[in-house]
Amino acid sequence: MAAYQPLHQHSQKPSSRYGSVSLGLRTVLAWLLSALLGLALLHLLRCSHCGARERAMVSPLLQYITSTYSQVSTMYGCDYSEGQWVRAPGHARRYNGTECNVKGSENCIRNGRPDTGYLDWRWQPSAAGCHLPSFDAAWFLAAVRGKHVAFLGDSMARNQAESLVCLLGASFPYRMVYQDPEPGTRKFWRWAFPSHNVTVSVYWAPFLARATGKSENYSEPYSSVYLDALAERWSADADTMDVAVVSTGH
Ligand SMILES: *[C@@H]1O[C@H](CO)[C@@H](O)[C@H](O)[C@H]1NC(C)=O
Ligand SMILES: *[C@@H]1O[C@H](CO)[C@@H](O)[C@H](O)[C@H]1NC(C)=O
Ligand SMILES: *[C@@H]1O[C@H](CO)[C@@H](O)[C@H](O)[C@H]1NC(C)=O
């Protein structure tokens, strides 16, 4: 176990003040944690031996990704990370953020933002002939039929989960299955799309490892991160997840 001073909320630089653990031990613990997380994620992907059952399970999603992105990418040598935003009126207006219940403080329209031009952009890859296909809710849901798609991380993961639910929910009925009881917190939410028996969840786990303090309650001065344990909630559900998206912005 080790405690460490958290990153400043908007800083990329770790604080120079650490707990009492020596640098050598911290390094070893960090490596152990990386190895543990790597193993856990490999387990999630269930592909270490890739039997027929596992292949059958992940192949529709891989096929979706391949046919939507990679094929185009190999055909035209597309690098989707190189490009620019271009104005495309109506393009991004694929859902109504009020109806799909995005976090109140992040709902620009409900909070009275009068202009809407910020909704009208799409990403144009630089390479000639490259086009990023629009999101297709029916195609996506068919690819993850019967599966549990989980987002793990901080507010970045939450934004991604909420955006996905909004995109899917604009075309297919869905219901909230679970939300944390404390008002205002969005640490563990789960939605169901009964038409395709698909579950989408978001797990608040900014460090992936178990953490207490600031990461759970912003009024606290710092976080304590336990490098020898995964965060309880997502790790308890890990073997129910078919697809895990790990993303953090801190
Ligand atoms: C979005 O949904 C809300 C609530 O149903 C509704 O009042 C509003 O008019 C909708 N906005 C648009 C642009 O459709
Ligand atoms: C829905 O998916 C779960 C696996 O996530 C599966 O166990 C269950 O049988 C499925 N239900 C239906 C009605 O297909
Ligand atoms: C959050 O931390 C503050 C400061 O320690 C404390 O007063 C408050 O009760 C905590 N809130 C919750 C929900 O635990």
Side-chain angles (χ1 to χ4, degrees), residues 55-71 139 142-143:
R55 262 200 301 273
M57 208 167 67
V58 296
S59 68
L61 186 63
L62 289 180
Q63 205 180 339
Y64 166 78
I65 294 167
T66 308
S67 24
T68 312
Y69 302 106
S70 317
Q71 210 176 60
W139 200 358

Side-chain angles (χ1 to χ4, degrees), residues 148-236:
H148 177 195
V149 179
F151 289 81
L152 323 172
D154 57 15
S155 56
M156 176 82 80
R158 187 182 60 224
N159 290 347
Q160 291 174 340
E162 287 182 347
S163 297
L164 179 63
V165 168
C166 289
L167 282 164
L168 298 173
S171 309
F172 290 88
Y174 71 103
R175 61 192 164 82
M176 170 73 67
V177 180
Y178 183 87
Q179 73 187 89
D180 358 43
E182 309 88 19
T185 61
R186 292 195 173 210
K187 293 187 171 162
F188 175 48
W189 282 35
R190 176 168 290 171
W191 302 264
F193 290 84
S195 60
H196 294 74
N197 189 22
V198 167
T199 304
V200 177
S201 305
V202 59
Y203 295 82
W204 178 261
F207 299 100
L208 295 178
R210 188 164 93 80
T212 56
K214 193 178 179 71
S215 73
E216 297 301 304
N217 175 352
Y218 276 127
S219 306
E220 298 277 350
Y222 58 84
S223 294
S224 295
V225 181
Y226 300 82
L227 297 179
D228 57 352
L230 296 173
E232 296 88 343
R233 217 165 212 169
W234 78 262
S235 60

Side-chain angles (χ1 to χ4, degrees), residues 1-70:
M1 186 194 104
Y4 95 121
Q5 197 73 13
L7 304 188
H8 182 268
Q9 207 178 334
H10 296 293
S11 159
Q12 296 299 311
K13 286 187 189 149
S15 157
S16 58
R17 285 171 54 214
Y18 289 93
S20 55
V21 185
S22 76
L23 181 64
L25 181 55
R26 267 203 321 274
T27 310
V28 171
L29 288 172
W31 275 105
L32 279 177
L33 177 68
S34 313
L36 185 61
L37 287 174
L39 285 175
L41 292 173
L42 271 180
H43 172 70
L44 286 185
L45 288 172
R46 295 176 176 184
C47 226
S48 49
H49 301 296
C50 248
R53 190 178 147 267
E54 285 79 4
R55 262 200 301 273
M57 208 167 67
V58 296
S59 68
L61 186 63
L62 289 180
Q63 205 180 339
Y64 166 78
I65 294 167
T66 308
S67 24
T68 312
Y69 302 106
S70 317

